[in-house]
Amino acid sequence: MMKWIALLSMLACSSAFAQTAPPDPIAVIRAQIMQRWFPAPQVPLDFAVSFDLDRQGRLVGEPVIVARGHDGDSALEMSYAVKGAQPFFLLRPEDYDHWKHVETNFTPADKRSTDIYAYNKRDILGVATGMTDTATKAAMAATGCSVFSPKPAILECTNNKGNQLVARLTENMSPNVVMAVTYVFQSGAPAQEIVGSISAQFHTRPFNQVWHLSKSATMEFGPYSGEPRSANSPIPSWVIIINEPQFLDKDRDALVEKQRAAAPPPKF
């Protein structure tokens, strides 16, 4: 019975996130490999990689790595990356014939210009980093709760389940945009099950306890200790935070420009 309660709690948590179409399986596999692959920048890269996967996304046998024009150490690093990335996940069982055998190439362009996190969403309940303040208010209102601003540059909303959604905005840009999204919710599911649910919704998994999302955003998850848990409410609270530091940098630059415009240099 407890297992089913935990499962239902996990599903309730995952339903808070907007569903997205499954990404191309080979692109997902490549992204997971590149999160484990850290080649020396001065070494030109040109690898042909092939391997087989079982239905659980694990390697069948050894990956075949052909490093054209490179030494064995470079090929070994690529082999370690492929092995370290397993088990490959977010691969639909019904599409197994499309991903059971993988053949792909890795070149310099993959490390220089490819956004390996391009398949990740950056929103919670429709509120995303980079969204304008006006669009944020509309997205929050669409969840069915009232939006208020407890302090400047903060928009907050609590839904009918008691879950809290908070957006932190820039203050000096025009228009101002969301820098961070925080979601506080209750769930009786084990933490690892919630982590798996979050990973599936965001098409990624944590690396060193942090999820790396697109557009330089990161996401963290953990227990929420903002207020003491009531003895009548034994279900723990959790918090997810999506943060995009580039907007904080842009906001600081915008403040400097405002200050410069307000106090122009003297003319001689």
Side-chain angles (χ1 to χ4, degrees):
M1 177 61 71
M2 291 302 296
K3 180 179 179 180
W4 281 106
I5 292 174
L7 179 60
L8 290 173
S9 298
M10 181 186 71
L11 293 175
C13 165
S14 66
S15 66
F17 308 108
Q19 296 291 332
T20 56
D24 173 68
I26 302 303
V28 167
I29 290 169
R30 286 174 53 81
Q32 288 183 233
I33 292 172
M34 283 193 281
Q35 290 185 51
R36 297 277 183 167
W37 182 42
F38 304 101
Q42 70 273 16
V43 178
L45 309 170
D46 190 2
F47 293 99
V49 179
S50 63
F51 52 87
D52 294 316
L53 297 173
D54 63 18
R55 290 184 176 274
Q56 285 68 51
R58 292 190 174 276
L59 289 170
V60 177
E62 290 288 317
V64 177
I65 313 292
V66 178
R68 291 185 279 267
H70 307 299
D71 55 34
D73 290 341
S74 297
L76 193 60
E77 289 175 0
M78 174 59 73
S79 179
Y80 287 152
V82 174
K83 293 177 181 179
Q86 64 174 325
F88 296 94
F89 65 116
L90 299 175
L91 302 173
R92 290 153 44 107
E94 59 268 35
D95 296 333
Y96 180 58
D97 286 342
H98 297 288
W99 53 264
K100 65 181 181 181
H101 179 71
V102 178
E103 291 186 9
T104 187
N105 295 321
F106 292 93
T107 68
D110 293 315
K111 290 301 286 187
R112 288 197 304 264
S113 62
T114 301
D115 181 2
I116 67 173
Y117 307 116
Y119 301 96
N120 302 310
K121 64 203 258 354
R122 294 180 297 135
D123 73 277
I124 301 175
L125 292 174
V127 177
T129 52
M131 184 179 283
T132 66
D133 51 357
T134 301
T136 302
K137 291 178 182 178
M140 285 182 158
T143 66
C145 57
S146 298
V147 184
F148 67 100
S149 181
K151 59 180 66 175
I154 297 291
L155 293 176
E156 190 172 308
C157 174
T158 302
N159 63 19
N160 55 10
K161 295 181 180 179
N163 299 333
Q164 185 183 62
L165 183 63
V166 180
R168 181 185 173 198
L169 298 157
T170 58
E171 300 183 68
N172 302 288
M173 297 170 61
S174 181
N176 286 307
V177 299
V178 175
M179 292 189 295
V181 183
T182 301
Y183 184 60
V184 180
F185 63 96
Q186 288 188 320
S187 175
Q192 192 56 46
E193 291 189 17
I194 300 177
V195 167
S197 175
I198 294 171
S199 296
Q201 291 292 330
F202 284 80
H203 299 316
T204 186
R205 65 179 173 183
F207 183 75
N208 289 339
Q209 300 182 336
V210 176
W211 285 266
H212 295 272
L213 308 180
S214 61
K215 307 298 183 183
S216 79
T218 59
M219 179 172 64
E220 296 183 51
F221 163 77
Y224 180 67
S225 57
E227 56 188 30
R229 194 194 315 172
S230 169
N232 297 324
S233 179
I235 301 176
S237 294
W238 306 92
V239 61
I240 299 174
I241 303 173
I242 297 178
N243 184 54
E244 193 156 350
Q246 67 162 319
F247 291 122
L248 178 61
D249 294 338
K250 290 181 179 180
D251 195 45
R252 288 171 176 166
D253 291 342
L255 176 60
V256 170
E257 288 299 321
K258 283 184 177 181
Q259 294 172 336
R260 186 175 298 161
K267 297 181 179 178
F268 297 97

